[in-house]
Amino acid sequence: MKLGVGIRKMFPGAVATNVVIIVIGIVMAILPLASGLGSRIALLLTSLGSAAFLAGFMGLVNVSILSEEYKRLTDQPFDQLMLLSKIQTAGISDVYRNRLEGTSRVIESLVEESSQFFAVGTSLKGLIGVAFDEEDEYTEIWKAIKEALQRKVKINLLLTNPAMAHYRSRQEGRPEGEIEAEIIENLIYLIMYKMENPKLADNLKIKLYDGAPSLFMMGTTRKMLINPYPNYTTACSSFSFLIEGGSPIYAAYYHSHYRAAWLDSRSTMDISDDPKEAAKQIQELINMTNHDKNTLIIPDENKRNSMLQTAFTILQS
């Protein structure tokens, strides 16, 4: 009984098809007995019905044998095989011990992308490192992004509003103001990149989301890498999952985690495409206070003044 249930779960289409063939065969075989058809037609229907019945029966036997062979080869119980099938159907194609391990697959996908690339994270350190630091383990993905911009691929980057980042700092045990500074420094870096590459600037859009981060995500139309934020460790050092484009998981996270936030004008702040306007926005961010306490988001005065000076330089350009 358990085997039969397992077969139906593993090969639902094959089982259903063979059952239908058997039913058709039985109907064709007994129809001449009740309809009074001519002997030749009756013989033909009986022969075809018998053949269909036999084909359907042998099909079920074949499915049963195939199931047992599959189980023997994999040495897995049906429940585990079904779990694997569900995972693949949902869209998970690989699992990685940390974010960096899965980055190469996204880079491969981005090299072939002609439409869009999107990323949702805190400071997006996982894409561009720490601003102006060329010696970083993530330079390959940033290089691929810049090459994609050359091909007119639309790049949408959604960072965390630095005024909200202190929630994450506490969980990760980071010094006060460190994550906030990373966000703003990378924001400055991106604005300066747009200034230096005006022909590419229109395809690089940046927004800030007014909410605590819960999931790092980046992807193309073909692949997506999702990397949950555990409460008390960094996301980049935690398990990541590669998702196939067009799958149920891809659609769910694309729309709920990225697209809905990207289009929500109440909770998302657009960084201006005009460098001078963007620099003014950055100045305001540097001088902001935390949402839940009356302190500057970057308490280090030297760090704050340095970033303000860089923003001022952009304004004077």
Side-chain angles (χ1 to χ4, degrees), residues 28-67:
M28 293 177 68
I30 66 174
L31 185 61
L33 302 177
S35 60
L37 297 172
S39 59
R40 290 185 178 180
I41 296 177
L43 180 60
L44 177 61
L45 287 174
T46 301
S47 300
L48 291 175
S50 299
F53 177 86
L54 183 60
F57 179 78
M58 292 304 296
L60 287 177
V61 172
N62 182 61
V63 170
S64 177
I65 294 173
L66 180 61
S67 301

Side-chain angles (χ1 to χ4, degrees), residues 106-117 144 147-155 203 219-223:
V106 179
I107 293 174
E108 292 172 6
S109 177
L110 182 54
V111 169
E112 301 174 354
E113 181 64 35
S114 60
S115 179
Q116 68 166 329
F117 173 87
E147 290 175 349
L149 282 168
Q150 297 282 352
R151 304 194 309 273
K152 307 301 182 183
V153 175
K154 294 186 181 300
I155 308 295
N203 287 326
T220 65
T221 57
R222 297 178 179 85
K223 302 285 184 183

Side-chain angles (χ1 to χ4, degrees), residues 9-313:
K9 287 183 177 180
M10 187 179 296
F11 304 105
V15 172
T17 299
N18 285 300
V19 169
V20 170
I21 292 174
I22 289 173
V23 171
I24 292 174
I26 293 173
V27 171
M28 293 177 68
I30 66 174
L31 185 61
L33 302 177
S35 60
L37 297 172
S39 59
R40 290 185 178 180
I41 296 177
L43 180 60
L44 177 61
L45 287 174
T46 301
S47 300
L48 291 175
S50 299
F53 177 86
L54 183 60
F57 179 78
M58 292 304 296
L60 287 177
V61 172
N62 182 61
V63 170
S64 177
I65 294 173
L66 180 61
S67 301
E68 280 296 298
E69 285 297 306
Y70 188 49
K71 179 181 177 182
R72 182 182 62 80
L73 290 172
T74 59
D75 196 27
Q76 297 281 349
F78 271 112
D79 288 346
Q80 292 187 27
L81 294 176
M82 285 306 301
L83 176 60
L84 177 60
S85 176
K86 288 179 181 178
I87 290 172
Q88 293 176 333
T89 301
I92 299 177
S93 60
D94 214 334
V95 180
Y96 305 99
R97 184 61 189 83
N98 56 58
R99 185 191 304 170
L100 185 59
E101 289 181 6
T103 300
S104 61
R105 297 294 299 277
V106 179
I107 293 174
E108 292 172 6
S109 177
L110 182 54
V111 169
E112 301 174 354
E113 181 64 35
S114 60
S115 179
Q116 68 166 329
F117 173 87
F118 53 88
V120 183
T122 308
S123 65
L124 298 187
K125 179 182 177 181
L127 297 184
I128 58 179
V130 178
F132 314 108
D133 182 3
E134 295 296 331
E135 299 298 326
D136 193 273
E137 61 184 352
Y138 295 105
T139 52
E140 286 302 313
I141 184 67
W142 178 231
K143 178 182 177 182
I145 290 173
K146 290 188 286 188
E147 290 175 349
L149 282 168
Q150 297 282 352
R151 304 194 309 273
K152 307 301 182 183
V153 175
K154 294 186 181 300
I155 308 295
N156 290 344
L157 305 179
L158 184 60
L159 294 80
T160 296
N161 190 316
M164 305 297 293
H166 62 286
Y167 293 114
R168 191 65 201 171
S169 297
R170 296 171 186 169
Q171 292 170 298
E172 294 184 11
R174 303 277 293 277
E176 188 174 354
E178 185 175 82
I179 295 180
E180 294 87 337
E182 284 180 0
I183 296 171
I184 295 175
E185 285 177 331
N186 281 350
L187 193 55
I188 292 172
Y189 178 86
L190 291 168
I191 296 305
M192 293 183 70
Y193 177 80
K194 293 180 70 169
M195 285 181 61
E196 295 166 0
N197 300 273
K199 293 182 179 180
L200 309 180
D202 287 344
N203 287 326
L204 176 58
K205 302 295 183 183
I206 309 161
K207 295 188 179 186
L208 300 178
Y209 182 65
D210 195 14
S214 59
L215 182 80
F216 174 87
M217 182 173 79
M218 63 178 173
T220 65
T221 57
R222 297 178 179 85
K223 302 285 184 183
M224 172 192 290
L225 189 71
I226 58 176
N227 176 210
Y229 283 70
N231 278 333
Y232 290 96
T233 188
T234 58
C236 63
S237 62
S238 304
F239 280 96
S240 297
F241 306 88
L242 188 68
I243 310 299
E244 292 297 321
S247 67
I249 292 181
Y250 182 100
Y253 279 92
Y254 178 87
H255 290 289
S256 64
H257 190 64
Y258 157 64
R259 194 64 180 167
W262 187 263
L263 298 176
D264 185 0
S265 59
R266 297 170 301 174
S267 301
T268 305
M269 170 185 173
D270 290 65
I271 298 301
S272 176
D273 288 328
D274 180 84
K276 295 186 184 300
E277 289 300 318
K280 292 178 182 178
Q281 290 176 301
I282 290 171
Q283 288 178 325
E284 292 177 2
L285 291 170
I286 295 170
N287 291 317
M288 283 180 66
T289 57
N290 290 327
H291 283 189
D292 65 343
K293 58 182 181 178
N294 190 29
T295 59
L296 291 169
I297 61 172
I298 302 175
D300 186 328
E301 185 176 357
N302 291 331
K303 173 72 72 174
R304 193 169 62 252
N305 289 337
S306 175
M307 289 189 290
L308 284 170
Q309 180 59 47
T310 304
F312 180 77
T313 302

